[in-house]
């Protein structure tokens, strides 16, 4: 796991320490509530000179799963508020509701300059 991924998990753990955070896929044993985060694309290297380090614009998807529709939505709003405090992360969509075998999800995409 890269440093930026650990930093993102740390930010979420500050406000939701009781929820496990999984990178890319939750384990089969995961019980709601939990969070899954994954990279879903982005613009890549934003510098065209091939010498400047950094400047990657990446898209991150954060999904919260819970038995309760309202809690899943509350959690994603809490995460949005926490990540918005960082100057290099902004939500780029509105939350999307999900449902899978009795569990409710709320997912939100972010743009990150790293």
């Amino acid at each position: 796991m890269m440093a930026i991924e650990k930093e993102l998990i740390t930010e979420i753990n500050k406000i939701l320490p009781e929820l496990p955070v999984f990178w890319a896929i939750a384990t089969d044993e995961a019980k709601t509530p939990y969070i899954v985060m994954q990279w879903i694309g982005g613009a890549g290297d934003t510098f065209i000179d091939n010498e400047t380090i950094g400047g990657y614009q990446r898209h991150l998807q954060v999904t919260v799963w819970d038995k309760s529709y309202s809690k899943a939505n509350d959690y994603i709003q809490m995460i949005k508020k926490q990540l918005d405090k960082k100057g290099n992360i902004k939500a780029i969509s509105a939350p999307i509701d999900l449902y899978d075998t009795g569990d409710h999800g709320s997912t939100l995409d972010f743009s990150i300059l790293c």
Side-chain angles (χ1 to χ4, degrees):
M1 186 175 304
M2 297 185 320
I4 184 69
E5 295 159 354
K6 291 177 184 175
E7 179 183 336
L8 293 165
I9 291 170
T10 298
E11 284 300 315
I12 291 173
N13 283 335
K14 287 178 183 178
I15 57 163
L16 296 169
E18 70 281 6
L19 270 62
V21 180
F22 298 95
W23 195 263
I25 189 166
T27 64
D28 289 338
E29 297 79 26
K31 303 265 191 267
T32 58
Y34 63 87
I35 301 165
V36 178
M37 300 169 57
Q38 63 184 348
W39 296 119
I40 57 168
D45 194 345
T46 56
F47 298 111
I48 59 172
D49 64 11
N50 293 323
E51 294 177 16
T52 305
I53 297 173
Y56 286 94
Q57 184 271 327
R58 300 187 76 179
H59 291 176
L60 172 76
Q61 186 172 74
V62 179
T63 306
V64 181
W65 291 97
D66 196 287
K67 294 289 182 198
S68 163
Y69 168 82
S70 62
K71 279 194 172 186
N73 282 280
D74 289 345
Y75 288 142
I76 204 70
Q77 290 301 326
M78 291 170 67
I79 292 168
K80 179 187 181 304
K81 186 176 178 180
Q82 181 69 14
L83 294 182
D84 276 350
K85 292 178 184 177
K86 306 207 40 92
N88 63 334
I89 303 173
K90 290 295 173 201
I92 57 172
S93 67
I96 298 171
D97 296 330
L98 306 169
Y99 182 81
D100 185 22
T101 320
D103 294 326
H104 295 272
S106 186
T107 190
L108 187 58
D109 296 346
F110 295 86
S111 177
I112 302 175
L113 187 60
C114 50

